[in-house]
């Protein structure tokens, strides 16, 4: 667990600091929504384990309790009982008998018991979910040939098959086929089939599902609107409130467009049902929140990129039919995160590009951010870990990475978010959801390939974004090494790759390995290393793959997407996996990192008005999680 610093926060005005505080409160109130979305039993399991953990009647100095503590911390980290990245269910290190006994020691009044339910009933309901490896084994299943909804534990569908859900939304699209501004069908609802066989949406709104949490979010957004930096920012916040109150996805479209038009304020935020990676069909948005303020010094890099967006689009190595004739509304900032919430907490993205609707991107553009204080925390944590020395092939390559790595990592993220996601266009009549379960992987691959292609371009030297024409090699090496080898540390032995970003990186690296002579995996002293034989040939391979991935996206070629992802992005070489895990284990490093939020605390004067906002970094991980469950626990 890491901490991020709110660099430059003291330079904000009192109005700006107060706005950050109100938006942060709105961000933290979405936590329970994410837990429930990731599994229908998650909230009750979390509450049950927290009661056991906090009750002094349960002996703490036992192996069973220590194992329960580890399990609970993983549940907190992943917003549920499934791994936040790999999606497989956690295996508890304590027994069902241990937990059953511990539950007899605690005050039953504190347990999440339904009316008339006993502790024994609670065990009967939740223990199979926790202990039986065959019950809800994956949060998101993307295995080819299986019913992705019936085999996924995410809580977006109830008693609905994949075929039924796809047909339901196809009917909605057909009914609106002439609409030039289509909503993101299904983004903010649970799809439910009742006992009579009728299928309907339960919309997430202040008057629908998750109302208790959403009303609190709205309360704090209303306070934020009162201290907005501008009339445009106030308009954005009020539209978001209207969307939350109504659940109307057409209002969400309006909100997204006005959010794009707001480019002058120092404070910005993301709050809502946004990314669809947690849905095997790529339709339902997981709740997430982020409060941010601009890092003025670092933002100039992003502005240089965005000012040249049309040049990058015009020179992309893709079929000209798929290029945008006019790139619109590309805005980009480097920001400092002030508060993380929902699907962005404790593990968070380092860059974001929104909105996701293709037609809004085409007509109005997109807004991109790179989060400087998060990447800074990651970089500081990585120094001296021994990871690169273990997996990089030789000293010359290691020195190259040490010299250019941080600069190129940030730049690749900028290119991915600012230009990659916003590049290209769909052919007329192509359904944005045509790639279905493979859509997220293909989209991430497209953005990564765009960044990889251009990071080696002399244009970046000309623009002053890289110091010389050798810098890109550090990014090529670390990216391919990660896709072929080192990201395997995040995979449980015997599992395949499930998460969209990991599939994307594996797809790119394995395709380049197989389709040219630029890369080789070699053995040295019994260890496997990546050797880059020819960096310019590697760039040519990246260009070829980018052209094909863009074609798949632009034409909505589902079968080509399926074949590409399944062949290159899913399978794991067991022998290499075993080797990489053994080498990594000797380093005694954690494969994942997350963040403890700062506390943003209002200071009041004698009249009861806010006179200052203070930031504290003293809160521990468990302390923060218990406080969040207590203060922001609206759904349990």
């Amino acid at each position: 667990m890491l901490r991020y610093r709110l660099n430059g926060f003291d330079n904000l005005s009192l109005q700006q600091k107060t706005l950050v505080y109100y938006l942060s409160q709105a961000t933290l109130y979405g936590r329970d929504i994410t837990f429930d979305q990731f599994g229908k039993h998650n909230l009750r399991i979390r509450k049950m384990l927290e009661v056991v953990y906090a009750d002094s009647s349960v002996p703490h100095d036992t192996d069973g309790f220590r194992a329960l503590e580890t399990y609970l911390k993983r549940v907190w980290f992943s917003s549920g009982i499934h791994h936040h990245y790999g999606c497989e269910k956690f295996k508890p290190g304590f027994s069902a008998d241990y937990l059953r006994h511990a539950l007899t020691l605690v005050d039953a009044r504190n347990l999440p018991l339904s009316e008339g339910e006993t502790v024994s009933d609670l065990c009967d309901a939740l223990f199979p979910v926790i202990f039986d490896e065959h019950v809800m084994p994956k949060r998101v299943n993307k295995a080819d040939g299986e019913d992705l909804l019936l085999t996924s534990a995410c809580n977006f569908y109830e008693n609905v098959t994949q075929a039924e859900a796809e047909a339901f939304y196809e009917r909605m699209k057909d009914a609106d086929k002439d609409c030039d501004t289509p909503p993101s069908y299904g983004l903010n609802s649970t799809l439910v089939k009742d006992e009579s066989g009728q299928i309907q949406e339960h919309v997430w709104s202040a008057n629908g599902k998750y109302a208790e949490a959403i009303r609190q979010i709205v309360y704090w957004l209303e306070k934020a609107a009162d201290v907005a930096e501008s009339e445009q920012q106030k308009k954005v916040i009020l539209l978001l409130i209207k969307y939350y109150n109504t659940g109307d996805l057409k209002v969400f479209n309006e909100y997204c467009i006005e959010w794009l038009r707001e480019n002058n304020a120092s404070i910005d935020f993301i709050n809502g049902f946004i990314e669809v990676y947690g849905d095997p069909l790529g339709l339902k948005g997981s709740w997430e929140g982020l409060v941010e303020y601009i890092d003025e010094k670092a933002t100039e890099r992003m502005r240089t990129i965005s000012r040249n967006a049309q040049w990058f689009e015009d020179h992309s190595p893709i079929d000209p039919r798929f290029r945008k004739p006019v790139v619109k509304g590309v805005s980009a900032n480097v920001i400092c995160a002030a508060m993380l919430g929902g699907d962005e907490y404790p593990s968070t993205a380092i860059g974001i590009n929104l909105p996701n609707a293709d037609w809004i991107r085409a007509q109005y553009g997109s807004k991109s951010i790179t989060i400087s204080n998060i990447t800074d925390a990651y970089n500081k944590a990585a120094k001296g870990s021994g990871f690169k020395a273990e997996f990089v092939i030789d000293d010359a390559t290691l020195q190259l990475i040490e010299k250019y790595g941080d600069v190129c990592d940030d730049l690749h993220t900028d290119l991915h978010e600012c230009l990659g996601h916003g590049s290209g266009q769909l052919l007329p009549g192509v359904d944005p959801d045509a790639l279905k379960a493979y859509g997220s992987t293909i989209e991430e691959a497209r953005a990564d390939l765009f960044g990889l292609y251009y990071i080696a371009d002399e244009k970046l030297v000309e623009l002053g974004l890289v110091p010389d024409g050798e810098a890109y090699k550090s990014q090529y090496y670390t990216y391919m090494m990660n896709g072929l080898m080192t990201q395997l540390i995040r995979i449980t032995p015997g599992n395949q790759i499930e998460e969209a970003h990991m599939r994307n990186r594996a797809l790119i690296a394995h395709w380049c390995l197989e389709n040219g002579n630029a890369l080789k995996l070699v053995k040295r002293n019994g260890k496997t290393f990546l050797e880059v034989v020819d960096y310019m040939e590697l760039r040519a391979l990246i260009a070829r793959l980018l052209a094909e991935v863009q074609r798949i996206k632009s034409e909505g070629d589902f079968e080509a997407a399926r074949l590409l992802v399944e062949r290159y992005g899913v399978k794991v070489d067991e022998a290499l996996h075993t080797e990489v895990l053994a080498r990594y284990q000797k380093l005694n490093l954690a494969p994942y990192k997350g963040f403890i939020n700062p506390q943003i605390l209002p200071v009041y004067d004698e009249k009861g008005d806010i006179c200052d906002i203070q930031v504290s970094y003293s809160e521990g991980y468990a302390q923060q999680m218990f406080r969040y469950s207590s203060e922001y626990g609206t759904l349990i």
Side-chain angles (χ1 to χ4, degrees):
M1 298 302 297
L2 308 177
R3 296 185 188 276
Y4 59 95
R5 309 290 297 188
L6 270 59
N7 306 315
F9 183 80
D10 289 341
N11 297 327
L12 300 177
S13 68
L14 177 59
Q15 178 184 349
Q16 290 171 325
K17 290 179 182 179
T18 304
L19 177 61
V20 168
Y21 168 65
Y22 290 150
L23 291 173
S24 295
Q25 290 292 97
T27 293
L28 294 175
Y29 268 107
R31 180 175 181 247
D32 275 8
I33 298 176
T34 308
F35 267 87
D36 189 73
Q37 289 180 320
F38 286 2
K40 65 186 297 183
H41 303 290
N42 283 337
L43 286 169
R44 291 226 294 168
I45 290 173
R46 186 190 78 194
K47 178 67 174 179
M48 177 180 67
L49 296 175
E50 287 175 347
V51 169
V52 173
Y53 183 80
D55 197 306
S56 59
S57 300
V58 179
H60 286 200
D61 191 21
T62 67
D63 290 340
F65 183 85
R66 284 186 283 271
L68 182 141
E69 179 180 32
T70 298
Y71 183 83
L72 175 57
K73 287 181 176 180
R74 297 186 76 181
V75 169
W76 284 333
F77 192 94
S78 295
S79 298
I81 63 171
H82 296 85
H83 196 284
H84 75 291
Y85 222 60
C87 292
E88 71 273 11
K89 189 165 73 172
F90 298 136
K91 184 176 181 179
F94 54 92
S95 68
D97 288 341
Y98 168 79
L99 182 55
R100 190 180 299 272
H101 174 68
L103 289 170
T104 67
L105 302 178
V106 305
D107 187 341
R109 291 173 297 180
N110 296 326
L111 292 171
L113 299 175
S114 303
E115 186 175 352
E117 190 177 34
T118 66
V119 173
S120 180
D121 294 333
L122 182 70
C123 295
D124 290 344
L126 299 184
F127 277 30
V129 182
I130 297 173
F131 295 104
D132 190 334
E133 62 182 15
H134 301 294
V135 175
M136 298 184 169
K138 289 184 179 180
R139 176 166 64 87
V140 183
N141 180 31
K142 295 186 178 179
D144 191 28
E146 297 183 14
D147 187 303
L148 302 185
L149 301 192
L150 298 182
T151 56
S152 295
C154 56
N155 193 22
F156 297 126
Y157 305 90
E158 189 173 323
N159 302 321
V160 180
T161 68
Q162 180 180 347
E164 288 171 333
E166 290 175 345
F168 181 88
Y169 288 112
E170 282 300 322
R171 288 193 294 272
M172 293 182 71
K173 291 176 183 178
D174 286 343
D176 286 343
K177 62 184 177 182
D178 296 326
C179 179
D180 294 328
T181 58
S184 299
Y185 300 97
L187 183 71
N188 65 334
S189 66
T190 305
L191 195 63
V192 178
K193 182 166 66 175
D194 61 25
E195 294 179 356
S196 68
Q198 294 295 310
I199 298 177
Q200 58 183 338
E201 290 186 307
H202 291 182
V203 175
W204 310 328
S205 74
N207 297 295
K209 189 171 183 179
Y210 301 137
E212 296 87 348
I214 291 174
R215 287 171 187 165
Q216 288 291 338
I217 295 170
V218 166
Y219 172 82
W220 289 102
L221 288 175
E222 288 172 341
K223 295 180 77 67
D226 290 338
V227 293
E229 294 181 82
S230 66
E231 286 302 312
Q232 178 63 22
Q233 188 179 62
K234 182 173 184 177
K235 182 178 182 180
V236 170
I237 296 172
L238 292 177
L239 273 172
L240 180 58
I241 291 170
K242 181 179 179 182
Y243 162 61
Y244 271 137
N245 283 332
T246 63
D248 187 342
L249 286 169
K250 293 180 180 178
V251 176
F252 181 66
N253 283 346
E254 294 179 50
Y255 158 73
C256 290
I257 292 166
E258 295 302 328
W259 178 76
L260 283 171
R261 288 171 172 160
E262 203 301 287
N263 288 309
N264 297 317
S266 296
I267 314 300
D268 206 350
F269 67 99
I270 296 166
N271 188 296
F273 308 106
I274 309 293
E275 301 293 357
V276 297
Y277 303 113
D279 174 10
L281 298 187
L283 298 174
K284 307 294 180 182
S286 301
W287 193 92
E288 66 179 63
L290 170 67
V291 185
E292 66 196 57
Y293 56 95
I294 291 178
D295 181 337
E296 292 287 354
K297 182 177 180 180
T299 289
E300 186 54 38
R301 180 184 72 234
M302 289 278 271
R303 288 174 180 163
T304 298
I305 292 172
S306 62
R307 282 195 296 266
N308 289 274
Q310 191 66 58
W311 184 93
F312 288 103
E313 184 76 6
D314 292 344
H315 291 81
S316 179
I318 64 175
D319 189 316
R321 295 180 302 145
F322 308 143
R323 295 180 190 148
K324 286 181 176 174
V326 178
V327 178
K328 298 180 181 179
V330 175
S331 66
N333 291 308
V334 178
I335 60 96
C336 286
M339 189 62 63
L340 308 172
D343 202 15
E344 291 293 338
Y345 169 82
S347 178
T348 184
I350 58 174
I352 297 172
N353 177 274
L354 291 172
N356 287 325
D358 283 289
W359 72 268
I360 296 180
R361 289 178 186 270
Q363 293 185 32
Y364 298 96
S366 62
K367 190 186 290 188
S368 301
I369 59 168
T370 300
I371 312 177
S372 63
N373 55 344
I374 295 296
T375 55
D376 181 60
Y378 278 135
N379 291 339
K380 288 177 178 176
K383 299 296 183 184
S385 68
F387 175 80
K388 293 173 184 174
E390 173 60 36
F391 288 100
V392 174
I393 191 168
D394 54 36
D395 287 341
T397 306
L398 186 60
Q399 290 174 18
L400 186 79
I401 294 167
E402 291 294 335
K403 183 177 181 179
Y404 299 116
D406 288 353
V407 170
C408 287
D409 282 347
D410 288 345
L411 186 55
H412 183 251
T413 301
D414 293 347
L415 290 167
H416 172 113
E417 299 294 350
C418 180
L419 300 182
H421 280 307
S423 67
Q425 63 180 355
L426 301 180
L427 292 183
V430 172
D431 184 350
D433 300 319
L435 303 183
K436 300 180 182 179
Y438 299 102
S440 294
T441 298
I442 291 296
E443 176 58 22
E444 291 303 321
R446 195 176 69 87
D448 260 0
L449 287 162
F450 191 99
L452 288 169
Y453 177 75
Y454 275 116
I455 203 168
D457 200 288
E458 61 183 15
K459 182 73 171 180
L460 297 194
V461 180
E462 176 190 322
L463 293 173
L465 296 172
V466 291
D468 56 53
E470 295 292 302
Y472 79 94
K473 294 179 180 179
S474 69
Q475 186 66 23
Y476 274 22
Y477 191 90
T478 54
Y479 188 96
M480 297 299 164
M481 180 181 73
N482 188 31
L484 291 169
M485 293 176 52
T486 52
Q487 74 169 1
L488 294 177
I489 63 174
R490 297 180 164 190
I491 303 293
T492 302
N495 286 0
Q496 294 185 330
I497 302 174
E498 297 284 351
E499 200 276 334
H501 296 78
M502 294 182 72
R503 283 186 166 191
N504 137 54
R505 291 188 287 266
L507 185 162
I508 292 171
H510 283 96
W511 189 95
C512 290
L513 177 67
E514 185 174 309
N515 286 275
N517 299 306
L519 303 177
K520 289 198 301 186
L521 290 177
V522 299
K523 285 281 190 179
R524 294 189 178 179
N525 299 319
K527 295 180 179 180
T528 304
F529 292 94
L530 168 67
E531 179 182 352
V532 180
V533 179
D534 189 327
Y535 280 96
M536 289 313 296
E537 182 188 345
L538 179 55
R539 190 188 187 213
L541 289 169
I542 288 167
R544 278 176 53 197
L545 184 55
L546 173 57
E548 172 61 6
V549 168
Q550 182 63 61
R551 182 199 68 77
I552 289 171
K553 170 87 173 181
S554 295
E555 295 180 351
D557 190 342
F558 172 82
E559 186 59 19
R562 186 187 71 82
L563 291 173
L564 192 63
V565 174
E566 292 293 336
R567 178 170 179 176
Y568 296 106
V570 176
K571 297 178 178 60
V572 173
D573 182 312
E574 292 185 14
L576 180 60
H577 191 195
T578 300
E579 177 198 326
V580 169
L581 287 175
R583 291 164 66 182
Y584 188 78
Q585 187 174 18
K586 292 178 181 178
L587 300 175
N588 195 31
L589 299 173
Y592 296 95
K593 296 177 178 66
F595 292 90
I596 300 170
N597 278 326
Q599 282 184 277
I600 298 179
L601 304 168
V603 179
Y604 296 94
D605 61 20
E606 63 277 3
K607 298 179 181 178
D609 297 325
I610 293 177
C611 61
D612 194 13
I613 301 292
Q614 295 182 346
V615 179
S616 171
Y617 302 99
S618 62
E619 197 168 34
Y621 178 47
Q623 182 184 7
Q624 183 162 102
M625 291 298 184
F626 269 105
R627 181 171 67 84
Y628 283 2
S629 293
S630 173
E631 293 184 13
Y632 305 102
T634 56
L635 302 180
I636 183 68

